[in-house]
Amino acid sequence: MRILLINPGYTKGFQLFSLHFPPLGLASLAAYLRANGHEPVIWDRNVQADDQAPRPEDFDLVGVTSDTPRFPQTADIAGQVRSAGVPVVMGGSHVSFQAEEPLASGFADYVIRNEAETGLLALVDSLSQGGEKGLDQVGGLSYMDQGEVVHNPGSQVIQDVDRLPYPARDLLPMQDYALYLKGRKATSMISSRGCPFNCSFCASSQLFGLKWRPRSPESLVDEAERVQKEFGIGSIYFMDDNFTLDPERTIAFCELVLKRGLDLNWFCFSRANTIVEREDMVEAMSAAGAHMVFLGIESANPQVLKALNKKITTDTSVQAVDLLKQYRIKPMCSFIIGDVHEDKAGIQATIEFARKLAPEIAQFAILTPYPGTRLFEEAKDRILNIDWSFFDGVHATMRTDKLSPKELERLLKRAYISFYVTFQRLISSPGKLIWYMTRIRHLFA
């Protein structure tokens, strides 16, 4: 079968730095479908012009991915495809937990929930062998049957992620991704699936499971070498939540990078406690080209950290940021404001904490109840309006006890201005300060 996979354009939330990453989820699905005899094509609306888009009529099936803020756009795309008479399958974080929405509304014929490789292949095989027969055997599939939404049991989770083919980057316009790290052209990679931490505001543990499934160091270095040779890539963004969950794996990766003489700069996500507990890992990371590490600091308030189920303390966060700086690795830190019981003074304390930590980059967001999270279930009665396009971390979407939505949005703007627009930045780098101010204005336009 010929399958068109579409990546909708990103919303402005979380896009302060306007980084458009290749859609590796779709590229992984495409590689898996191709390895099993099908013909996938990827269309990324972030970097490819609509007037050059493939015609849905030329395909047997069209798949569209969606996170929560992009769902309205995804539904519009899917509706246009279905009006052309082509069946639509949706996937991604939003519809994995809200499958009834696109099915009952008529935007989609099928939804593949959660991890999609095996489920999508089973659906495509079923359709290619005669249509509707066998749909009840497709794991992770949701669909309509006689006016009712049917949810099949979950699809088979791939335990050995090393056996997955590398993402089909050859189906993407790699030259159009203006992605850089430390002055070098960069791309993204995924080193693991699953998350055991189950933070209340994050759906990752539900989407990919609580069990962490890592790729081997050899697989990671092999892929890094491949993208370096094929696309002139000098830097890698490891975009999974838990790159350093197993410090021994991280150290082995670093040793292999050095052994092969791989000239590489890289970014990854970690946790403050992991950094503090394993200085030897941080030293190895620095030696092997780690340029920046993302830490979810979230709050200066211990009660908020407990409510978010972060399992860290502010003291640990201070130590982690200091240790990264000691080894010349730039910290990038995220902060969340707007817990349901938080007041203005508590948010201001988090802003001041961010300034005290002084990471290279700070990302601030309003606490948002995304579908699939425990927060979504706990805060259902507080949600102000189900307009998914506002679920972007920039808009207040739920009622809190002490602050209005407008107050929260003003405090978010204050957080960004307070952190980035400083006299020190004006003195040290006026050009960079102007760039930050331009991006902040775009974020809140």
Side-chain angles (χ1 to χ4, degrees):
M1 286 182 68
R2 298 199 74 224
I3 305 105
L4 175 62
L5 302 173
I6 300 176
N7 187 42
Y10 284 113
T11 59
K12 67 180 181 179
F14 297 114
Q15 291 298 308
L16 176 61
F17 301 96
S18 297
L19 300 180
H20 288 155
F21 292 95
L24 289 190
L26 293 185
S28 181
L29 291 174
Y32 199 74
L33 290 170
R34 186 167 61 184
N36 286 277
H38 297 285
E39 301 178 50
V41 171
I42 304 175
W43 189 255
D44 186 357
R45 295 186 67 177
N46 285 297
V47 296
Q48 293 174 289
D50 287 344
D51 60 2
Q52 299 176 359
R55 295 182 347 122
E57 298 90 333
D58 295 334
F59 296 87
D60 303 300
L61 179 70
V62 172
V64 193
T65 187
S66 181
D67 51 28
T68 297
R70 290 190 290 172
F71 178 73
Q73 181 189 167
T74 302
D76 182 61
I77 294 169
Q80 294 178 41
V81 172
R82 289 200 79 212
S83 67
V86 182
V88 171
V89 57
M90 282 190 181
S93 59
H94 183 77
V95 297
S96 289
F97 306 109
Q98 299 287 118
E100 295 87 351
E101 191 172 5
L103 293 170
S105 302
F107 296 125
D109 299 275
Y110 314 102
V111 169
I112 296 290
R113 307 185 312 275
N114 304 93
E115 190 169 301
E117 278 88 358
T118 58
L120 180 58
L121 176 62
L123 173 64
V124 171
D125 285 344
S126 176
L127 296 178
S128 65
Q129 293 168 10
E132 301 299 311
K133 290 184 178 180
L135 289 183
D136 59 338
Q137 300 300 310
V138 177
L141 179 68
S142 296
Y143 59 102
M144 298 293 292
D145 185 18
Q146 297 182 353
E148 299 293 330
V149 178
V150 176
H151 300 293
N152 291 351
S155 60
Q156 178 185 359
V157 173
I158 297 171
Q159 298 296 337
D160 181 9
V161 290
D162 271 352
R163 70 182 180 86
L164 286 167
Y166 294 145
R169 291 184 176 87
D170 59 298
L171 300 182
L172 293 168
M174 292 294 291
Q175 72 281 357
D176 294 334
Y177 294 99
L179 191 61
Y180 294 88
L181 182 68
K182 202 177 179 181
R184 293 180 172 186
K185 189 169 178 59
T187 193
S188 49
M189 283 176 53
I190 302 295
S191 87
S192 67
R193 294 184 179 185
C195 179
F197 296 107
N198 206 20
C199 296
S200 69
F201 58 91
C202 177
S204 182
S205 296
Q206 285 69 44
L207 191 64
F208 292 109
L210 289 165
K211 182 180 179 181
W212 186 64
R213 292 166 287 142
R215 292 173 56 189
S216 67
E218 292 78 11
S219 172
L220 299 179
V221 176
D222 287 348
E223 185 178 356
E225 286 184 324
R226 175 178 290 192
V227 297
Q228 193 172 64
K229 292 175 182 177
E230 292 184 1
F231 304 107
I233 298 297
S235 296
I236 300 291
Y237 286 85
F238 290 103
M239 297 305 294
D240 47 306
D241 296 325
N242 297 293
F243 184 85
T244 64
L245 185 60
D246 178 359
E248 298 304 326
R249 182 191 80 136
T250 305
I251 292 171
F253 165 79
C254 294
E255 291 174 345
L256 196 55
V257 168
L258 295 173
K259 181 179 179 180
R260 294 194 190 179
L262 190 60
D263 184 13
L264 191 70
N265 298 315
W266 48 282
F267 163 104
C268 73
F269 287 73
S270 186
R271 285 178 56 89
N273 58 305
T274 308
I275 294 296
V276 170
E277 291 163 4
R278 292 299 299 264
E279 182 174 351
D280 60 331
M281 179 189 73
V282 179
E283 182 177 14
M285 291 167 65
S286 177
H291 175 67
M292 184 176 289
V293 169
F294 182 106
L295 299 175
I297 305 300
E298 316 313 5
S299 180
N301 187 325
Q303 285 72 41
V304 172
L305 291 174
K306 184 177 180 180
L308 299 179
N309 198 34
K310 278 298 298 183
K311 301 183 180 74
I312 60 170
T313 67
T314 53
D315 287 345
T316 303
S317 295
V318 171
Q319 294 174 49
V321 169
D322 287 347
L323 189 60
L324 289 172
K325 291 179 180 179
Q326 177 184 327
Y327 283 95
R328 300 177 303 282
I329 300 174
K330 297 181 184 297
M332 176 179 179
C333 298
S334 69
F335 301 89
I336 295 175
I337 67 172
D339 178 76
V340 294
H341 305 303
E342 196 168 30
D343 59 15
K344 184 176 179 180
I347 291 174
Q348 188 60 45
T350 292
I351 296 172
E352 291 303 317
F353 187 47
R355 287 168 57 90
K356 173 186 173 183
L357 289 176
E360 179 73 9
I361 297 173
Q363 173 184 285
F364 299 91
I366 297 173
L367 184 62
T368 302
Y370 292 104
T373 65
R374 189 169 74 250
L375 177 64
F376 182 76
E377 299 303 321
E378 294 172 348
K380 276 186 175 179
D381 293 339
R382 293 177 176 269
I383 294 176
L384 299 169
N385 178 30
I386 300 296
D387 181 344
W388 299 121
S389 65
F390 286 97
F391 282 59
D392 57 4
V394 176
H395 297 89
T397 56
M398 64 179 181
R399 175 178 50 81
T400 69
D401 292 343
K402 299 177 181 178
L403 294 166
S404 71
K406 290 298 181 185
E407 286 175 311
L408 277 174
E409 290 169 9
R410 282 196 294 268
L411 285 166
L412 181 67
K413 187 181 296 185
R414 178 186 297 179
Y416 273 111
I417 293 172
S418 176
F419 184 85
Y420 285 104
V421 185
T422 65
F423 180 73
Q424 181 61 36
R425 290 187 193 276
L426 176 63
I427 297 299
S428 61
S429 182
K432 198 169 186 179
L433 174 61
I434 293 171
W435 187 86
Y436 281 133
M437 292 173 66
T438 302
R439 301 315 307 158
I440 292 168
R441 186 164 58 248
H442 169 73
L443 188 68
F444 295 99

